Amino acid sequence: MESREAVFEYIWILLIVAVIVGLSASMAYYGFARGLNPTCEAYTLEEARKAGISLEPGVREVGPGIYEVTIDARQFTFIPREVVLKDPNRVTFRVYSLDVIHGLSIVGTSVNIMVLPGYVAEFVWEPPKNAKGEFLVLCTEYCGIGHQLMYAKLVIERSSAQMAGGG
Ligand SMILES: [Cu+2]
């Protein structure tokens, strides 16, 4: 017959295993069944060069409402510091860093990514149809003594025709 203490040991082991299994199952459920994954792709600057992806900072309109925005995140600014999008439907951001880890968050939206040095973080954002006006863009990783100065501005302009049509 086992001692009373040993029974408690087994109960605790069981509880710990149950917690680990439960948390893993919840991660698997949200990741696979619900499709909640990091929305961001990352590749090295070298891979970008080989693939012929331009890393010239700036905004390019590649189709009606389709934009490509390339941002150089560095201590302690974003280049460019202001991004203006007219009636954007789909925006591909490519953000890279050459110095330290930075973040990029568009305040008031779901966009919040991490930028690792030597890597390009690429993600596609479809701004809500009612997103309009000025948005603050912040670095969300402490990147040094001037981190609090690291911000930029995103401006979304909507033509009246699209506002009337959009929901
Ligand atoms: Cu930063």
Side-chain angles (χ1 to χ4, degrees):
M1 193 64 200
E2 306 221 322
S3 72
R4 205 176 139 80
E5 287 77 17
V7 173
F8 280 124
E9 287 288 332
Y10 286 128
I11 290 173
W12 278 110
I13 289 169
L14 213 72
L15 277 173
I16 289 162
V17 169
V19 167
I20 292 169
V21 168
L23 289 176
S24 305
S26 113
M27 270 200 295
Y29 171 70
Y30 281 101
F32 295 109
R34 299 281 303 274
L36 281 181
N37 290 302
T39 51
C40 184
E41 298 240 9
Y43 43 85
T44 63
L45 294 162
E46 192 53 39
E47 284 166 343
R49 267 184 218 110
K50 277 183 191 154
I53 295 168
S54 164
L55 293 178
E56 183 75 36
V59 181
R60 276 170 293 279
E61 187 168 13
V62 293
I66 315 288
Y67 288 92
E68 288 183 2
V69 180
T70 306
I71 295 175
D72 177 348
R74 59 172 64 192
Q75 290 169 318
F76 297 100
T77 189
F78 293 101
I79 302 170
R81 199 126 204 216
E82 185 175 326
V83 169
V84 180
L85 305 173
K86 293 192 176 81
D87 295 329
N89 289 322
R90 194 180 155 86
V91 189
T92 302
F93 283 91
R94 293 193 184 99
V95 191
Y96 62 91
S97 162
L98 298 176
D99 46 31
V100 298
I101 296 177
H102 295 284
L104 185 149
S105 164
I106 305 176
V107 177
T109 74
S110 59
V111 174
N112 187 356
I113 57 153
M114 191 189 262
V115 188
L116 299 172
Y119 283 84
V120 182
E122 180 179 310
F123 64 99
V124 175
W125 184 46
E126 293 181 357
K129 284 275 174 275
N130 57 2
K132 188 189 174 187
E134 283 186 21
F135 293 83
L136 182 63
V137 176
L138 288 180
C139 176
T140 46
E141 297 290 332
Y142 181 74
C143 58
I145 203 87
H147 165 68
Q148 74 280 4
L149 304 171
M150 190 163 169
Y151 61 90
K153 192 163 84 173
L154 168 71
V155 182
I156 295 183
E157 296 176 353
R158 297 284 184 191
S159 62
S160 49
Q162 196 181 14
M163 283 306 278

